[in-house]
Amino acid sequence: LMSAAVVDERNLKRFTRECEALGRLSHPNVVRLAGASTDAAAPWLAMELIHGKDLQHRLDAADVLPFDETARVVAQIARGVGHAHGRGVFHRDLKPSNVLVRDADGSAVVTDFGLARNLEASRFTRTGDTIGTLAFMSPEQVKGQRAEGTPADV
C-alpha cells in the first residue's frame, strides 16, 4: 500500500510502471505479481510470498560463500534478469538486498522492480537524475550518463 503522503502524479506513474513491469514477467527467478491497483486514492501492490532472506543477509552471515552456491545463485539471477530483459524490462537497482533466497530450495528470486524501466514506456527520470544504489550502479550511471538496457543491470 502506497502512503497517501507520497501519492503525487510522478510517484503514481512510477508505481504504475512497476506494476506493469512485474505484470509482464513470469519466471521462477523473478517475484510474481499477485495483484495491484493503481487507483490514486489507495494504490497497492501484492507479490508472491517468498519464505527466505535476502542475499545480502546470506553474504553478511558468511565469510565466503562456497563456489557452487555462488555459481548457482548468480546463474539464477542472470536467468531472471535475462527473462526481464527479453521482455524489455530493466531492473536498474540490482543488488544483493533485492534478491531473495528461498528457504525451501535455496533458489534466488529477483525482487523490487521499483526503479525498473520498460524501454517501450515513457521516461520518468529527468536528465541528470541519478537513481539506484551507488555501490551497485553501472559506471555509466555513476558518471550521470544514460544507462539504458543491459548495462544498467550488469
Side-chain angles (χ1 to χ4, degrees):
L1 187 59
M2 185 182 248
S3 167
V6 297
V7 177
D8 61 21
E9 184 178 350
R10 187 170 180 197
N11 284 332
L12 187 59
K13 285 181 180 179
R14 282 186 187 273
F15 181 79
T16 300
R17 183 175 64 195
E18 178 177 10
C19 295
E20 290 170 351
L22 279 173
R24 297 176 71 168
L25 307 178
S26 179
H27 190 275
N29 301 114
V30 175
V31 68
R32 287 189 241 324
L33 177 67
S37 170
T38 55
D39 181 337
W44 59 270
L45 171 72
M47 294 175 276
E48 84 178 285
L49 175 62
I50 297 173
H51 295 279
K53 295 187 171 139
D54 67 53
L55 181 57
Q56 186 63 57
H57 182 269
R58 176 74 180 102
L59 294 169
D60 291 343
D63 289 331
V64 177
L65 291 183
F67 176 80
D68 59 330
E69 179 181 356
T70 301
R72 179 181 44 78
V73 169
V74 169
Q76 291 172 350
I77 294 167
R79 284 192 292 272
V81 170
H83 171 78
H85 288 184
R87 280 144 189 82
V89 176
F90 298 87
H91 193 283
R92 302 195 312 168
D93 195 24
L94 196 56
K95 59 188 175 185
S97 61
N98 285 341
V99 175
L100 295 178
V101 179
R102 286 188 172 99
D103 288 338
D105 61 5
S107 62
V109 182
V110 179
T111 66
D112 192 354
F113 282 76
L115 297 180
R117 173 132 162 76
N118 174 349
L119 289 186
E120 297 171 8
S122 60
R123 299 177 60 84
F124 295 113
T125 307
R126 295 180 295 247
T127 301
D129 279 357
T130 301
I131 62 164
T133 305
L134 184 60
F136 299 99
M137 286 181 177
S138 67
E140 296 85 359
Q141 288 170 294
V142 171
K143 293 177 185 174
Q145 298 170 351
R146 196 172 188 179
E148 296 289 322
T150 304
D153 284 346
V154 176

